[in-house]
Amino acid sequence: RGKPTNHKVYGETLAVLAGDALQPEAYRLILTAPGLDESRRAACGRILAEASGADGMVAGQVLDTLHAPKTEAEVTEVHRLKTGAMIAGACRLGVAAAGGSGGLMAAAETYAQELGLAFQIRDDMLDVCGDAAEFGKPIGSDKEEGKVTFMDLLGLEGCGRAVRAHTEAAKAAVADWDTDGFLAALADSLAERPSGGPFSVRRRGLSASGGQPGRSQKIYGRIYGICCIFIRFVIYCMALSGGAVF
């Protein structure tokens, strides 16, 4: 946010080709990941395909751009697919890469979906009452584009309650595994964030990004936060297995 997109800087042709190249690159990295046997590589590849493809993020984008969701159920479904699917993919990838249990996989899925909804609802709130310089895009852009958001459906107070409810549900889903409180702190930081910047965890002595977020930190913040979640679930699986995961 705050910078011209690739197609503005490099042209549409190169921007599309860059996207085409990055998608198979993700699968190449999985298929050549050191320390993973063939079954875990296959599981990780399938999770990424489900999260990013026609059953996940792409489906959410189609619903968002072509079908103009209007009701709370429709808007929730869009963001479950568009936002929650990729966060869930990161969580599930961590469990799969480390050979975690089915129970942890289910907890990771629930945590991610609840976290994604809390994040999106907070995002809608900030689009109305946030600071444009901090948020990274013009305030009120969703309304100008004619989008129905959680703010339209629930109001400011209703959104606040929903953010807290989804955040607590996310924390409860992983309470049995979150021994150091990192995932709970991450959920709290997203629910309370004053801007659209990166996943910045400062509670309980934890930090996922240092200092005040600059422009480049904002751009890469979501990717960095998702990577942190992935690594955290790998660590939990290692702890449960006595460290003998890879």
Side-chain angles (χ1 to χ4, degrees):
R1 291 180 177 177
K3 285 189 175 182
T5 54
N6 280 330
H7 77 279
K8 291 291 187 181
V9 178
Y10 304 108
E12 289 189 8
T13 299
L14 195 55
V16 170
L17 289 173
D20 290 343
L22 287 169
Q23 290 191 58
E25 179 66 12
Y27 291 96
R28 185 190 70 80
L29 290 172
I30 288 175
L31 293 171
T32 58
L36 293 185
D37 60 29
E38 291 182 359
S39 64
R40 292 185 187 179
R41 288 176 180 174
C44 289
R46 179 174 179 174
I47 288 170
L48 181 59
E50 291 172 347
S52 61
D55 294 324
M57 183 179 65
V58 170
Q61 293 284 7
V62 169
L63 292 175
D64 190 31
T65 56
L66 298 181
H67 296 283
K70 302 293 185 184
T71 68
E72 183 178 350
E74 290 171 345
V75 173
T76 298
E77 179 66 2
V78 165
H79 294 302
R80 183 187 71 81
L81 294 168
K82 196 173 79 167
T83 305
M86 290 305 293
I87 298 176
C91 295
R92 295 173 62 212
L93 277 168
V95 178
S101 66
L104 183 53
M105 184 70 80
E109 172 82 23
T110 301
Y111 173 81
Q113 289 294 347
E114 297 290 346
L115 188 73
L117 282 173
F119 180 90
Q120 186 59 52
I121 297 169
R122 182 64 176 153
D123 216 51
D124 287 354
M125 294 169 70
L126 292 170
D127 188 63
V128 173
C129 56
D131 184 292
E134 287 292 323
F135 195 39
K137 68 176 184 178
I139 298 302
S141 59
D142 288 336
K143 191 174 186 65
E144 288 181 4
E145 294 172 8
K147 288 186 176 182
V148 173
T149 71
F150 285 108
M151 281 288 282
D152 297 311
L153 297 165
L154 304 178
L156 183 60
E157 292 186 3
C159 281
R161 289 192 295 270
V163 168
R164 290 190 292 273
H166 286 299
T167 299
E168 290 305 313
K171 291 158 62 176
V174 293
D176 291 341
W177 291 278
D178 192 22
T179 53
D180 62 0
F182 179 90
L183 294 176
L186 178 61
D188 285 336
S189 76
L190 294 180
E192 299 165 3
R193 76 191 196 282
S195 72
F199 294 113
S200 181
V201 184
R202 298 194 167 279
R203 302 183 59 171
R204 304 175 196 173
L206 303 173
S207 178
S209 65
Q212 292 297 317
R215 180 168 292 181
S216 62
Q217 284 181 297
K218 292 178 182 179
I219 294 170
Y220 295 108
R222 293 189 184 186
I223 298 172
Y224 181 60
I226 287 174
C227 289
C228 287
I229 295 174
F230 164 76
I231 293 169
R232 186 58 49 169
F233 276 101
V234 171
I235 291 171
Y236 291 150
C237 292
M238 292 179 69
L240 290 171
S241 65
V245 171
F246 299 110

